[in-house]
Amino acid sequence: MQTRRKLGIPDEDFIQSDKVPGPTKEEIRVVTISKSRISEGSLVVDVGCGTGGLTVEAALQVAPKGKVFAIDDDEEAIQLTESNVKKFDLENIVQLICGEALEALVNLPEVDAIIIGGSASLREVIRASYQKLKMNGRLVVNAILLETAYEAVDEIKKLNLKDLDVALVFVAKGRDVKSGTMMLARNPITIISATKA
Amino acid sequence: MQTRRKLGIPDEDFIQSDKVPGPTKEEIRVVTISKSRISEGSLVVDVGCGTGGLTVEAALQVAPKGKVFAIDDDEEAIQLTESNVKKFDLENIVQLICGEALEALVNLPEVDAIIIGGSASLREVIRASYQKLKMNGRLVVNAILLETAYEAVDEIKKLNLKDLDVALVFVAKGRDVKSGTMMLARNPITIISATKA
Amino acid sequence: MQTRRKLGIPDEDFIQSDKVPGPTKEEIRVVTISKSRISEGSLVVDVGCGTGGLTVEAALQVAPKGKVFAIDDDEEAIQLTESNVKKFDLENIVQLICGEALEALVNLPEVDAIIIGGSASLREVIRASYQKLKMNGRLVVNAILLETAYEAVDEIKKLNLKDLDVALVFVAKGRDVKSGTMMLARNPITIISATKA
Amino acid sequence: MQTRRKLGIPDEDFIQSDKVPGPTKEEIRVVTISKSRISEGSLVVDVGCGTGGLTVEAALQVAPKGKVFAIDDDEEAIQLTESNVKKFDLENIVQLICGEALEALVNLPEVDAIIIGGSASLREVIRASYQKLKMNGRLVVNAILLETAYEAVDEIKKLNLKDLDVALVFVAKGRDVKSGTMMLARNPITIISATKA
């Protein structure tokens, strides 16, 4: 599927699987991409790509010359991301890496932005990500856990990144029911971002 | 079960049923009761009592001399409310009425507060409720629909009630998972309240 | 200032004025742009452009061949939008129109998306916007008032647009204080969008 | 002022001061009181009483036989709390303590609930509070900082309290403006509570 759209893919356009979390919902996806400050030609890493929602969205931003490295230690996630990458004709932009984030990061070039959707060893991944960021590169962490939000802020402060931004985004979506528009909540996400100084 | 507690029953303490919505969650229940400004001896109507969460909570506030009229047109809701009223030893405080709110309201005495948890004909119920309120009585509407929130505010303005208060309450609750505290959203509720002038 | 960035301008990068509301905050801006489903070459109208935040953001999406018509009946808003358009080197993309939305819309060509940031006569503007939309064009309304959200949903349903989407977006931003990260709330915005069928 | 009301005092009914933070807003106050599970006769500590909003609200719940110990290290806060305690005729219920929480707690009897509105040394205060709680007593922490929410959850887990409850409460209040009801956000509060096992 060829697409010219640059931003904001409806959630239902992604191929999904019960076995893989995601995709990150549209509203969170676009704020996350915004915080990554990427553009055409950027090199981006998506740590914990899951369904591939952020990978595809980032790839659309950086195409045709940029690159997105999509990492996940779950093979099913990598396969699902691959399906979505193909659906959006982004095979030339996305490189899939099945493995642990810490190991995978070592072999990558320096990049413009790293997006972390959650990780078992968040502090270590943030430190490794910091090493891989170019100067003025952007680190973005999406936290669904109270602890992840705290640890991301704490570790980013220790690493002395600048322009720390913490955005709690709480969304409810309308569902059309017989009697009107029922507002259904989505889990709040804390999006933490900062710039390598 | 004898209880001396005056406020804030944990959700799981209510007998529940798949066939009846509710109970209104603790956080919303206590804000709703707060907005009703009831106290010992008050007369209260709970329109659309469902599981009986608000009925029980209101009854605990107005006992031992007050009264709560719990109305629902669903017989299963009335039975479930009755079970919860018994569980909290409030049979002497609560009067159950199975029927349409508009008809049921006609036969009630003037009361200090009317709580409307939603209704098929909201504007009419608000107008009928207004008639049944004592001077300085309180009207409280809990809206889960966009349209209900709008209609409640609009109708209350037409009726010239005073001290209109609109509170959108958006709650997320932590769930303890292996990796930390996952914040799970609850649907946002708009609580509209005002005083009969 | 030449920029290659395609999305997500930090709020502080906009020239601002005490006399003009805005800019729409980054998180709301990018979700709004996402909902408009615009891309390179799109024609877009920004009704009530204010500071020009959405105008600039949309212009970056549609450049170099698209166009954004920025309408406001406040001359100071138009001047401020003009300053921001110049700052981001988008003079060739943006056409500024000082005047009433209903009148201004009449003289415009058919467009791919119309973004309404609020208006004194919302229902009429939505109907006029509908007329100006191409088939499959997108209508997006940002509501800060309870009534605006309701009216937008109601009017869009009457016009039989498809894919109605209602997103309540409630954001809090962290401020670094001595003792930690204080979460400061921003007003909730309801973003209503739909497609001309 | 004699009051029979048991819950939910409007914010504007409290005497306020520019020099003292608070009062805790009505919606947060009543959820906090609810989480404390107090009732007539309970002994309660309010750590960091500020304006005295929670102190007064708790005192109304525990009167006439209970007691609230209101602690603050700011003399102006203690004076303001005293004014509000007098306004609500609760002098016999509330004992004011100007001093550091850790020291003040030492001299108190065992209590049924301790409410912590924030503190410079939160973890220590939580541990000291735990010591002062009766079995099945309730600890409630209101967090406005990301870090406070995390530390409260972490420390409560270390102390093995049971029934840990984490509630993020995000409220917006309607303001009546010419064109409708503008929803104005209040800062999100995380209310953490648990029971001494």
Side-chain angles (χ1 to χ4, degrees), chain A residues 4 6-8 10 26-27 30 34-35 37 39-40 61 157 165-168 170-174 176 181, chain C residues 4 6-8 10 26-27 30 34-35 37 39-40 61 153 157 165-168 170-174 176:
Chain A
R4 285 173 46 244
K6 282 302 194 312
L7 174 77
E26 179 187 345
E27 293 80 8
V30 296
S34 175
K35 297 299 182 186
R37 310 273 181 243
S39 61
E40 197 183 312
Q61 295 291 315
K157 282 185 173 178
D165 182 277
V166 181
L168 171 73
F170 206 168
V171 173
K173 296 292 300 261
D176 204 25
T181 310
Chain C
R4 284 173 47 244
K6 281 303 193 310
L7 175 78
E26 179 188 345
E27 292 81 7
V30 296
S34 175
K35 296 299 182 187
R37 311 275 182 239
S39 60
E40 196 182 313
Q61 295 290 315
V153 169
K157 282 184 172 179
D165 182 278
V166 181
L168 171 72
F170 206 169
V171 173
K173 296 293 299 263
D176 204 24

Side-chain angles (χ1 to χ4, degrees), chain C residues 11-148:
Chain C
D11 299 338
E12 59 270 25
D13 285 7
F14 290 102
I15 304 162
Q16 304 187 30
S17 161
D18 289 349
K19 298 175 190 160
V20 178
T24 304
K25 301 295 184 192
E26 179 188 345
E27 292 81 7
I28 301 299
R29 235 187 298 127
V30 296
V31 175
T32 303
I33 294 295
S34 175
K35 296 299 182 187
S36 74
R37 311 275 182 239
I38 55 177
S39 60
E40 196 182 313
S42 297
L43 300 184
V44 186
V45 181
D46 180 5
V47 176
C49 57
T51 297
L54 283 166
T55 291
V56 164
E57 201 87 63
L60 289 170
Q61 295 290 315
V62 305
K65 293 185 186 160
K67 203 150 222 41
V68 179
F69 303 95
I71 304 173
D72 209 299
D73 61 359
D74 175 7
E75 211 165 308
E76 292 188 288
I78 290 294
Q79 283 167 14
L80 186 55
T81 295
E82 187 173 27
S83 304
N84 278 307
V85 165
K86 279 184 182 162
K87 181 178 177 188
F88 288 90
D89 258 348
L90 295 162
E91 294 98 323
N92 293 333
I93 313 297
V94 177
Q95 182 177 322
L96 299 159
I97 304 170
C98 189
E100 293 296 328
L102 284 173
E103 293 173 28
L105 281 165
V106 172
N107 300 308
L108 295 182
E110 289 202 332
V111 297
D112 299 285
I114 299 182
I115 300 168
I116 303 173
S119 165
S121 45
L122 182 68
R123 286 179 184 272
E124 290 80 357
V125 171
I126 287 175
R127 286 196 294 269
S129 296
Y130 178 79
Q131 296 300 329
K132 279 297 167 185
L133 277 182
K134 296 179 190 172
M135 281 303 290
N136 295 314
R138 297 280 298 170
L139 183 66
V140 186
V141 180
N142 281 7
I144 54 171
L145 303 181
L146 193 70
E147 291 81 1
T148 309

Side-chain angles (χ1 to χ4, degrees), chain B residues 4 8 26 34 37 40 168, chain D residues 4 8 26 34 37 40 172:
Chain B
R4 283 173 47 242
E26 179 188 345
S34 175
R37 311 273 181 244
E40 196 183 312
L168 171 72
Chain D
R4 283 172 47 243
E26 178 188 345
S34 175
R37 310 276 182 239
E40 197 182 313

Side-chain angles (χ1 to χ4, degrees), chain B residues 41-45 62-63 65-69 91-95:
Chain B
S42 297
L43 300 183
V44 185
V45 181
V62 305
K65 293 185 187 162
K67 201 153 224 35
V68 179
F69 304 95
E91 295 99 322
N92 294 334
I93 314 296
V94 177
Q95 182 177 324

Side-chain angles (χ1 to χ4, degrees), chain C residues 157-171:
Chain C
K157 282 184 172 179
K158 284 183 183 161
L159 290 169
N160 272 317
L161 279 83
K162 66 179 179 188
D163 293 337
L164 173 62
D165 182 278
V166 181
L168 171 72
V169 184
F170 206 169
V171 173

Side-chain angles (χ1 to χ4, degrees), chain A residues 69-123:
Chain A
F69 303 96
I71 304 172
D72 209 298
D73 61 359
D74 175 5
E75 209 165 308
E76 292 187 289
I78 290 293
Q79 283 166 14
L80 186 55
T81 294
E82 187 172 26
S83 304
N84 278 307
V85 165
K86 279 184 182 161
K87 180 176 178 187
F88 288 90
D89 257 350
L90 295 161
E91 296 98 322
N92 294 334
I93 313 297
V94 177
Q95 182 177 323
L96 299 159
I97 304 169
C98 189
E100 293 297 327
L102 284 173
E103 293 172 30
L105 280 165
V106 172
N107 299 310
L108 295 181
E110 289 203 331
V111 297
D112 299 285
I114 300 182
I115 299 168
I116 303 174
S119 166
S121 45
L122 182 68
R123 287 179 184 273

Side-chain angles (χ1 to χ4, degrees), chain D residues 39-78:
Chain D
S39 60
E40 197 182 313
S42 297
L43 300 184
V44 186
V45 181
D46 180 6
V47 176
C49 57
T51 297
L54 284 166
T55 292
V56 164
E57 201 86 66
L60 289 171
Q61 296 291 314
V62 305
K65 293 184 186 163
K67 202 152 221 44
V68 179
F69 303 95
I71 304 172
D72 209 297
D73 62 358
D74 175 7
E75 209 166 309
E76 292 188 288
I78 290 293

